[in-house]
Amino acid sequence: MSGIVVVGDVGLDVVARHEGPIPHGGDIRAKVHFTSGGAGANTALWLRAEGTETTLVARIGDDSGGRMVKSELEAAGVRCEFAVDPEEPTFCVVVLVDGAGERSMLADRAANAKFSPEDVTEAALRGASHLHLSGYVLLYPSSRPAALAALAAAKKAGLTTSVDPQAATLITDPAAFLDDVRGVDLLMPNTSELVALTGSSDPEAAKELLDYVGEVVVTAGLDGASWIDASGTITSVPSQPAECVDSTGAGDAFDAGVLAAWLRGESTAEVLRAGTRLGAQAVSKVGPQP
């Protein structure tokens, strides 16, 4: 199998795991971890953990955070095709994780918000067979042209494509989003994103999306995952047992497991199990990366 190009955010995560509610204007004890992050970087690193050759296309700041993230990714074997922004800092997100492992995020996209069509080069796609796009790039108006340029370049180069919508709250115009992803081979929403796109959480509703994309895979957390193929046939698997320590990046890990197995030509059920396996690994530890 040739490599996968991931187009998405990369930056720094400050993960604070706390017990109990956060008091307004008060203090609370927390365990704080500082890691690299961003949906694009997370997926790229989980793909490398699966032995997949991976290129990450993104934009960083000309600062110590950007240099650190790039160095860590390259040390893990990810090929980095990064544009460097001379003004904006590297993306940073504060992740608040409660005692149940549920996360809330305060994100400053910074340099990622200025990701441009010129940042997607022919060199970045060289040697790849598939391009995976993070929905954050597509759903922010400032970086949307770059997302569309990446999908168009992949199609021109003969690559298959996938898109993870990433954020249900950002899907304010479902029709426009679906028009943007028209012709994509695989759409990868979670249940909340499926609701935003179709109005229903039932995997049956994903059949509506086949008017726009080739196939759909829906992840539903503890309820497992489902694959809806081009004929409308649904294959489902249960989730894999895991103690949820931190849900940050679980969807990114799921994406990586699915894509690696799908592009290896494994059966639909095995593809879904690969995704749920990595998702379970992700929630079992603090931080979004392997």
Side-chain angles (χ1 to χ4, degrees):
M1 182 188 72
S2 300
I4 294 179
V5 174
V6 177
V7 177
D9 289 353
V10 59
L12 306 167
D13 279 5
V14 181
V15 182
R17 192 167 194 272
H18 61 92
E19 299 289 340
I22 299 176
H24 179 68
D27 298 344
I28 188 171
R29 292 188 178 90
K31 293 287 187 181
V32 179
H33 300 263
F34 183 76
T35 71
S36 58
N42 298 341
T43 300
L45 284 168
W46 284 104
L47 283 167
R48 283 301 300 138
E50 291 293 284
T52 303
E53 293 298 319
T54 306
T55 298
L56 177 59
V57 181
R59 190 176 186 91
I60 59 173
D62 185 13
D63 53 26
S64 58
R67 288 186 285 275
M68 182 196 78
V69 169
K70 186 172 185 284
S71 176
E72 289 186 353
L73 286 161
E74 290 177 337
V78 175
R79 176 184 163 214
C80 296
E81 290 284 341
F82 290 172
V84 178
D85 194 288
E87 298 174 350
E88 294 292 335
T90 297
F91 161 89
C92 185
V93 58
V94 176
V95 185
L96 306 177
V97 183
D98 66 19
E102 191 57 51
R103 94 298 190 269
S104 301
M105 300 174 69
L106 309 174
D108 178 359
R109 297 193 69 237
N112 285 317
K114 292 175 65 177
F115 189 62
S116 71
E118 292 73 26
D119 297 338
V120 184
T121 64
E122 289 185 11
L125 304 185
R126 192 171 298 131
S129 63
H130 183 83
L131 182 138
H132 175 69
L133 174 67
S134 164
Y136 287 122
V137 182
L138 186 60
L139 288 167
Y140 279 90
S142 60
S143 56
R144 176 175 171 268
L148 296 176
L151 291 174
K155 182 177 181 180
K156 181 179 179 181
L159 278 61
T160 53
T161 53
S162 56
V163 175
D164 183 334
Q166 296 285 182
T169 56
L170 298 179
I171 304 175
T172 56
D173 188 341
F177 176 84
L178 290 171
D179 192 51
D180 282 349
V181 301
R182 188 183 297 274
V184 163
D185 295 285
L186 181 62
L187 188 64
M188 311 179 76
N190 63 22
T191 299
S192 296
E193 293 149 11
L194 181 65
V195 171
L197 292 171
T198 69
S200 172
S201 62
D202 190 330
E204 285 279 344
K207 293 179 181 179
E208 300 175 22
L209 304 178
L210 297 177
D211 291 336
Y212 301 89
V213 301
E215 298 182 274
V216 183
V217 60
V218 180
T219 177
L222 295 176
D223 292 326
S226 299
W227 186 288
I228 301 85
D229 70 17
S231 69
T233 300
I234 298 177
T235 303
S236 299
V237 302
S239 62
Q240 298 195 20
E243 178 186 0
C244 185
V245 175
D246 178 5
S247 62
T248 311
D252 304 328
F254 175 86
D255 290 351
V258 164
L259 292 174
W262 181 47
L263 295 171
R264 286 195 299 264
E266 297 184 13
S267 70
T268 300
E270 288 304 313
V271 166
L272 291 172
R273 291 188 188 102
T276 57
R277 172 175 55 83
L278 289 197
Q281 289 182 28
V283 302
S284 300
K285 57 180 286 298
V286 174
Q289 298 175 346

